[in-house]
Structures are given as C-alpha cells and as structure tokens.
Amino acid sequence: MQIPVDKGIDHTFDLLTEGYHFMRNRFDELGTDIFQTRLMGKKMTCMKGPEAVRLFYDTSRFQRSGAVPKRIQKSLFGEGGVQTLDGNAHQVRKLMFLLLMTEAGIRRVHQLTLEQWRLQSNQWKSGQEVILFDQAEEVLCRVACLWAGVPLKDSEVAQRAYDFGALIDAFGGVGPRYREGRNARKRTEEWIRLLIEKYRSGAVEGVDHALEVIATHRDDNGQLLDAQIAAVELISVIRPIVAVARFIVFSALALHEYPQHRLALRADDKFLEAFAQEVRRYYPFTPFLGAMVRHDFEWKGYQFSKGDTVLVDIYGTNHDPKSWNGPELFNPKRFLEETVTPYNFVPQGGGDPARGHRCPGEDVTVAIIKASLSFLVNELDYTVVQDQDLSINMTRMPTLPASRMVIKIT
C-alpha cells in the first residue's frame, strides 16, 4: 500500500512557515496519520498517534545513528552525544544519565528550584516588572549547575544562561538565530571540556553529581569518554533543565488564563502534578523527533525502506483526538481521569526511558515545574502586566508567548 504523498518538490519552507502545525495540516488534508514529504531535499515519512510512536521506538526497526541532522548536532545536541547512538553503546552511555535520576536526586532538584526562586525574587522590588522567561533561564541555570556539580560564579550566570538558551533556540532557527546557537555551543563546550579535564586531574571535586558520573563513565569498550564527548554529555544534563524555563512560562500563562485552578494547586499535590503534566501536554515544546529505518519492513500495509528518515509528530500526538478527550482544551483533571501511556503522552519523546530513546529526565522536568508552580501560587505576590502580547507563535520552533511573560511584583 502506498503511503500518501505531500505533493511538491520540497516543503522545507512550508515547515518553517507552518511550524508546529506543518504535519497536522497535511494529516487533515490527506485524511491520514501517515504521509511522505520532502524536507531539506530528503524524502521523509511523517506519522502521529500512539501506534506510530510505539513503532518509532522499536529499536529493531529504527536507529538514531545518522538520523539527527548535522545542523542540530552542531547546535542543540552536540556531536557524538547519546542521542546519536544505538544498541549496546547507547544502553551503556544512557546508564550514566539513569544513575542521576534517583528519588533523592529528584527531591534535590525540587528543593534547589524553590531555593533559587526565593534567592532570585529577593532581588525584586515592589512595583518592579520582570520578564519571567529571562528570570527562569537564570534560575534554572543555577539549579542545573548546582545539581550537576558544575562550579558557576555569580558573574557568569547571565552569560551561561543566555548560551544554554541559545542552544535551545537554534533548533528551528536560520541565519543569525542559528549562528548564535552554534557560537553558544562552541563557548559552552570549551567551558565544560576544561572542567572535565580539571576534574580528572583532581583540581575540581564533583562527588555524587553529574560531573563525577560523566567524567568517570566508561564506554562499552571500558574506556573513559573523550573529554570532548564527556563535555557534550554533561551539557546534555544542564541544557534540558534550562529548557524547562519554557514550561515555567507556559505554567504561568495557564495560571493567568485559568485562574480557577489556583486554589486546588495550593491544596492538592496530586492536582499540582496533574496541572504540570497538562502544561507539558497542552503547550508546544518539542515539535517532532526523527529516526532512520534499519531495514525494509511492512507496517499496516505500508512499506518502509532501509535508510529512510521517519519523523513522529510529538505535538500532534499530544493533541490527537483519537487519544484524548477534548485535546484542544486545557484540562488538568484528564491526568486524574483519562488513560495516559508512554505512547499517547510524549512531550519529551515516547516509550520506556530505561530501554529506549525517551528522555530519562522527565521526572526532573516535572519536579522543576511543580516547584516553580508552588512558588508562583504560594510565595510570590504578583500581577500579570496587561499591556503585553501573550500570543503564541506556532510557526516559531521552539516557541513562547511573544512577550515572554511580563509580571509585576506587588
């Protein structure tokens, strides 16, 4: 059976101009959950929904090696990182990330987040207007470095936070925005590589932190990671934490747009978690993920050929009406009432994080969002500045409210 085709020579421009809705527009137009298109000159198969996600994370059929474009490796991910590995090499490398995701480690990141918000807000004065996104990136840069055991001077915070943010922002960027991400990658890798080398020489301590785990990790051949690769992986601990600043801003936006939930957020930890999860489902974060077909196979009558690139629509799957009741409604209670699986709820990827390519840091993400929400509803007196643009540009990847959420301290 022929996979439906998005007619045209190349649709890269359409992806850039349609953003998060690029795949959805074609799923709707073609009346299907799978279609073929051409992006950056390559044939690609696009899919959505739980069954597609389950297929996508079948490591016997798909590989990540060769699937991540070089432009993404040179900005967001770094070259040689765990995202580009498969098989035993991937399992051994990923183990060092899983070692960090203990209950104690997650409790610590929750506490660090609260502490850093309190320290940051102590600098604010009554009547002052602050851009929440900028503040959140700095707070989370401090949190990430403290949690990872990476020394960070107060004088460095603004630049380091900016650089981590630039790595993330380069994902869907072209021109100056992408070049800024490339430059930030070079600065950040040089900083962290030198830190790895200092740790290995005994000049820096990192007991029970990501710095120690990664600097001492041995690959599937029993060798220490090259200092450059170790730097890429340590950045891959810090960068995703800084990226949660976007979820914090979306959380604050949800509080503003759905104030009826404030009381429940103060009183019920289960509802607090449900609210955090609904923020991750409802608002745009990761648009899609890619993999490469290992060998020819047939699925649901469709033919997949070795070497083909497949993209799974993350945003579309989180808004799939076949999986969610009223997916376009913001409804935290769905996480207390509906069926949630690793295949229909995929804000940072799908499947089993212990065995596949799903992000192992989702519990950390949720802990940070919950701590930040708790701070916003219980500890910070503020109003949302009215004269600002809170619209979300769905053609921009990654995106935010246009004004980055301006609040006024009261």
Side-chain angles (χ1 to χ4, degrees), residues 42 63-70 73 83-86 291-292 307 309:
K42 292 181 62 177
Q63 66 186 47
R64 297 309 186 269
S65 178
V68 180
K70 281 292 183 182
Q73 293 184 48
Q83 298 92 346
T84 63
L85 300 179
D86 291 292
M292 188 174 290
T309 298

Side-chain angles (χ1 to χ4, degrees), residues 315-370:
Y315 180 78
T317 298
N318 284 332
H319 290 77
D320 186 359
K322 297 176 183 177
S323 299
W324 303 96
N325 295 322
E328 299 308 319
L329 300 175
F330 183 84
N331 176 22
K333 289 184 179 179
R334 74 174 72 250
F335 281 90
L336 303 174
E337 300 169 352
E338 296 184 31
T339 299
V340 179
T341 76
Y343 303 100
N344 69 351
F345 181 49
V346 291
Q348 291 169 262
D352 183 351
R355 291 182 291 180
H357 279 267
R358 186 171 185 139
C359 175
E362 287 188 85
D363 288 342
V364 167
T365 297
V366 174
I368 292 170
I369 297 172
K370 288 175 64 177

